[in-house]
Amino acid sequence: MAADGFQFAFTPEIEALTLPAWEKVKRHVTPMEWRLQAPLIAEINRLKREKNAVILAHNYMTPEIFHGVGDFVGDSLALAKEAARCDAAVIVQAGVHFMAETSKILSPEKRVLIPDLRAGCSLASSITGADVRLIKQRYPGLPVVTYVNTTADVKAETDICCTSANAVQVVEEAARLWGVDRVILIPDEFLARNVARQTDIGIIAWKGRCEVHERFNAADILELKAAYPDAEVLAHPECPAEVLEVSDFAGSTAAMNDYVLKRKPKRVVLITECSMADNVAADAVDTEFVRPCNLCPHMKRISLENIYEALVHDRYEVTVDPAIAERARLAVQRMVDLPPPAKPARYDLVKARHHVDVELI
Ligand code: 13P
Ligand code: SF4
């Protein structure tokens, strides 16, 4: 049943239409749940065609969204690139508010909708544009590299954006272009510390944290490794450095996905948001997933029901002040225009470095 009370029937036609998605989600969704979800999925997909809309779904969306209605799925970097590229009239962002703002910044002519305006992010709310102006006064001449997990206001004060997939490359590129040996990398303290372990560029960092990844610690990972000695541990670089130090690999959500699909480990642990493993597992049938994980309450505000309502009622539109958007676009576009990194970002070279130069503001 949709949230507006409309009841859709699970007819044989709907069952046939949604069979490919069912094949992907059946390890995580019960047949009873599917009888309710499948008609909604079919209706959302029909509405998308009617309204010339696409759904950009982040890797942390639940499997029925990710596999059922997502037109483009991936990490923050892939979704930003897709927003710039796609030619739909409407983008429905199945993700959080900063992602919808990024889409609007890159595609001002499109209508960008987010199904729940409360889908925020602890990193994005840790810093304001005014904070960045103060930082720039304190460190004149240093380039400002900002994680995409920030508001448009913050991006407008930024020289170049980055994501977890390209942060090392962006930091080194910014230092080269500005002719300096230190850069400002905000607002994620842990991402900044993990990047600093891979480069000789000094980093000025801010004390923002991802509320999902900051809760992991090295002791839990070591306990897991003791219980499952053959499991390969993959951690997101928003985790504390101590977690990466005892992990086998670290990278963005897309890098984790690639690792599992290409290397086909027998057993794996993904130290990140809970839906990530569910979505990768659909295609990694020979891998067993050990599942300690933390839920992101912001990502989990997005549901099939509110995606359906977003399309029916054309809500909730995300707008960005054009003057802010114009300045923010420069920073995001610089990132989008970078060539793909020569090798994928890996943050687990931690052990190799002795000196890590981070100044925390
Ligand atoms: P990536 O998808 O870029 O790895 O980011 C993870 C995240 O926390 C997004 O909110
Ligand atoms: Fe923000 Fe962390 Fe949630 Fe991503 S997982 S939206 S970084 S709080």
Side-chain angles (χ1 to χ4, degrees):
M1 188 172 12
D4 62 4
F6 194 86
Q7 179 83 54
F8 295 110
F10 185 59
T11 61
E13 291 75 28
I14 299 274
E15 187 175 6
L17 214 55
T18 56
L19 192 61
W22 169 246
E23 291 299 331
K24 297 272 186 188
V25 304
K26 64 186 181 192
R27 286 206 277 170
H28 307 289
V29 173
T30 65
M32 206 147 76
E33 287 170 318
W34 192 246
R35 293 180 72 81
L36 298 173
Q37 290 173 351
L40 209 43
I41 287 172
E43 182 57 10
I44 289 170
N45 287 332
R46 190 194 66 75
L47 282 166
K48 283 190 315 201
R49 288 190 294 276
E50 183 183 300
K51 302 196 172 216
N52 188 16
V54 291
I55 297 183
L56 303 188
H58 187 262
N59 287 327
Y60 294 162
M61 290 294 105
T62 49
E64 68 279 7
I65 296 176
F66 188 89
H67 294 291
V69 300
D71 295 292
F72 300 100
V73 295
D75 66 353
S76 312
L77 182 61
L79 296 187
K81 286 186 170 172
E82 198 49 52
R85 197 163 37 213
C86 75
D87 56 8
V90 179
I91 290 176
V92 179
Q93 198 82 38
V96 292
H97 196 269
F98 76 79
M99 296 177 174
E101 274 192 340
T102 307
S103 294
K104 184 68 187 177
I105 289 165
L106 287 169
S107 284
E109 73 294 350
K110 293 182 189 122
R111 197 167 167 81
V112 177
L113 305 177
I114 187 150
D116 188 327
L117 280 168
R118 297 168 301 173
C121 169
S122 65
L123 281 169
S125 58
S126 75
I127 192 161
T128 64
D131 292 326
V132 187
R133 284 192 289 279
L134 286 174
I135 297 171
K136 289 201 281 195
Q137 274 174 26
R138 194 155 144 191
Y139 300 96
L142 294 191
V144 179
V145 178
T146 296
Y147 201 30
V148 282
N149 300 38
T150 45
T151 60
D153 246 24
V154 167
K155 289 187 176 82
E157 300 295 337
T158 294
D159 292 306
I160 178 163
C161 284
C162 73
T163 72
S164 53
N166 61 14
V168 178
Q169 182 195 14
V170 173
V171 160
E172 295 191 338
E173 183 69 1
R176 189 182 68 77
L177 290 172
W178 266 254
V180 291
D181 59 5
R182 283 201 310 171
V183 308
I184 298 160
L185 174 57
I186 47 179
D188 186 349
E189 175 191 345
F190 292 148
L191 180 80
R193 289 188 185 283
N194 290 323
V195 167
R197 285 173 159 79
Q198 286 201 69
T199 179
D200 292 324
I201 308 298
I203 306 278
I204 317 290
W206 182 257
K207 216 173 166 31
R209 306 265 177 95
C210 161
E211 66 187 85
V212 172
H213 294 98
E214 72 172 345
R215 283 155 55 203
F216 294 108
N217 61 56
D220 291 345
I221 311 295
L222 290 172
E223 209 172 286
L224 262 164
K225 287 190 137 191
Y228 301 95
D230 60 347
E232 293 175 39
V233 178
L234 280 49
H236 195 277
E238 290 167 11
C239 293
E242 63 167 44
V243 169
L244 270 56
E245 272 168 26
V246 295
S247 298
D248 300 299
F249 175 85
S252 75
T253 54
M256 288 187 196
N257 187 58
D258 284 357
Y259 182 105
V260 175
L261 296 183
K262 287 194 183 122
R263 299 182 52 163
K264 303 186 192 327
K266 190 169 155 291
R267 207 177 248 163
V268 79
V269 192
L270 302 186
I271 302 300
T272 189
E273 212 275 342
C274 301
S275 292
M276 181 74 204
D278 296 346
N279 292 330
V280 184
D283 294 315
V285 284
D286 298 326
T287 296
E288 187 195 318
F289 290 75
V290 183
R291 289 171 188 266
C293 63
N294 292 325
L295 280 169
C296 173
H298 310 291
M299 292 279 183
K300 294 301 84 107
R301 286 199 182 275
I302 309 300
S303 62
L304 280 180
E305 285 78 4
N306 59 24
I307 291 174
Y308 164 77
E309 292 189 336
L311 282 163
V312 169
H313 302 294
D314 200 22
R315 73 185 188 200
Y316 294 95
E317 188 176 9
V318 174
T319 55
V320 179
D321 178 307
I324 303 249
E326 201 180 314
R327 292 168 60 212
R329 191 172 310 120
L330 273 176
V332 183
Q333 196 65 50
R334 272 193 187 126
M335 171 188 81
V336 168
D337 291 343
L338 282 177
K343 45 185 176 9
R346 286 185 57 139
Y347 297 84
D348 50 343
L349 306 172
V350 192
K351 304 144 203 168
R353 286 209 171 261
H354 302 296
H355 177 65
V356 176
D357 187 5
V358 179
E359 181 176 333
L360 196 61
I361 307 164

